[in-house]
Amino acid sequence: MVESEEPTSGTMADSLISNLESLSPLQLFERVTEQGEKVRALKAGKAPKDEIDAAVRMLLSLKLSYKTTTGQDYQAGLPPKDLVLINNGATKEDDEDLVDPWNVQTSNAKGVDYDKLIVRFGSSKIDTDLINRIERATGQKPHHFLRRGIFFSHRDMDQVLDAYENKKSFYLYTGRGPSSQAMHVGHLIPFMFTKWLQEVFDVPLVIQLTDDEKYLWKDMTVEKAYEYAKENAKDIIACGFDINKTFIFSDLDYLGASPGFYKNIVKVQKHVTFNQVKGIFGFTDSDCIGKISFPAIQAAPSFSSSFPQIFNGKENIQCLIPCAIDQDPYFRMTRDVAPRIGQPKPALLHSVFFPALQGAQTKMSASDPNSSIFLTDTPKQIKTKINKHAFSGGRDTIEEHRKYGGNCDVDVSFMYLTFFLEDDDRLEQLKQAYTSGELLTGELKKVLIETMQPLVAAHQERRKQVTDEVVKQFMTPRKLAFEF
Ligand code: TYM
């Protein structure tokens, strides 16, 4: 039996193809896989020739539809590119970086190759044109996270701007998985940027605290997860969000309180199969069913009907999600489902990772205290951690350093300064001085310590002002200061 023959033409194939048109790339991928298995089973079972022939013709039609829809040839075990998650061994090349919601790992001291990631994830680069457009639309100087490529990738941001320029509003959605009491400075990145977006675009913001996710993934009680959610809400509020424009919610709380939210969750659940989440998130048969259905809960806030109190019951308000790129798999899935449940696809802005103190091979992670500067650290702890652990791009001896200069591309202190030192001229001076050997590692670390200590202390001061009552207000479902 040759599988390269043309699929049947005529009415049967035509009607098959028109039925297939309504399927998403992932559903098509699944249909091809199932059909391939069927053909193999028929052949192995020595089924009658005409039965095998019919099954092969169907397989070829399916492959053709898959190619027409995705622009990619079907490859067994490789879901369509836009949806592939890299933690799945079948899809990751040996020399590729590992990036998913739970892991970030690369062998390159300069960190993850983000340009390659854009290609692999099928997102778009935030280029100068887009940054200029944001500047024109808002009338504000672009945030240094944009100017310095810290937010480097997007999905459909140009559409958000098209609509915004035509006076069509949108809303922001971001979140946090409250895995412990203390957040680290890396977690501030999406929140600082979201605050800026909220200010310059003047739009509503919803912040999801996935205490349910942390209960499912970590060894903690439901009560503890909820407690952490409220504690983390204080840190988020301390970033300076406007109480009249921001709704923060815990899944454990809000899911029971909002039929709109739950309706969207079940809609997503109905349109994603176990095979699909296995392909995207790498779940296995032994993962609990809570994990398997969780992605629908992170997807649902992308739809405005999850918040009828804010959007006056309107269903089609565009959503924009700022996050680090580790969260993208959730939203690739969401964007795949959205048109099938009659909702707009959420747009995204992705940031790079704030590296661990030990180097950019991995991200700062709350589970490794020495990799992170926490928002609860004292000035002394910050100083000790930076001096002791921050990976240096300097030379082995002062003489060599003066002669050959340091390497800013791998130096963690310099990397941290690109995130937190806002003054472009000063940053450039430091770069020049370090690269030429004029500035030593200890001196660069001192600049970082003097930048981080007041930043963290100011955060702690603002957090102290956030009372339980303020948290309650932010977390009460209510109308915000916008008319829809
Ligand atoms: P979580 O708690 O792991 O992370 C919260 C936010 O911080 C980003 N992030 C980082 N950014 C830069 N450098 C790092 N080292 C770093 N580590 C984490 C994450 O990308 C995220 O934006 N499941 C999610 C919670 C969530 C969410 C969302 C996040 C629910 N809905 C919508 C973003 C958008 C989580 O556990 O995030």
Side-chain angles (χ1 to χ4, degrees), residues 173-177 184 186-187 190 208 210 213-214 298 321 323-324 326-327 331 352-354 363-364:
Y173 157 42
T174 192
R176 154 82 182 141
H184 58 61
H187 289 129
Q208 179 179 44
T210 51
E213 175 192 10
K214 291 302 147 186
Q298 183 152 334
I321 306 171
C323 57
D326 59 338
Q327 299 298 310
F331 302 116
V352 302
F353 304 108
F354 194 79
K363 66 171 178 170
M364 186 168 265

Side-chain angles (χ1 to χ4, degrees), residues 207-222:
I207 301 178
Q208 179 179 44
L209 301 173
T210 51
D211 38 14
D212 50 350
E213 175 192 10
K214 291 302 147 186
Y215 166 69
L216 290 165
W217 259 266
K218 304 257 165 185
D219 182 17
M220 68 168 82
T221 61
V222 170

Side-chain angles (χ1 to χ4, degrees), residues 371-390:
S371 81
S372 306
I373 296 173
F374 289 99
L375 295 173
T376 45
D377 282 349
T378 60
K380 189 157 178 277
Q381 281 171 317
I382 295 173
K383 184 175 174 189
T384 311
K385 280 188 187 177
I386 293 175
N387 279 335
K388 205 164 157 192
H389 299 294

Side-chain angles (χ1 to χ4, degrees), residues 94-143:
D94 282 348
D95 62 340
E96 279 180 341
D97 303 332
L98 174 64
V99 175
D100 68 34
W102 306 282
N103 310 286
V104 174
Q105 202 72 52
T106 171
S107 52
N108 187 344
K110 293 182 190 172
V112 172
D113 185 332
Y114 290 104
D115 283 335
K116 268 197 189 163
L117 215 55
I118 286 179
V119 177
R120 276 161 64 201
F121 279 20
S123 60
S124 308
K125 199 177 168 82
I126 297 183
D127 56 15
T128 322
D129 285 350
L130 187 69
I131 298 176
N132 290 342
R133 248 196 107 182
I134 295 175
E135 179 163 13
R136 280 199 304 278
T138 61
Q140 303 287 329
K141 182 176 176 187
H143 194 279

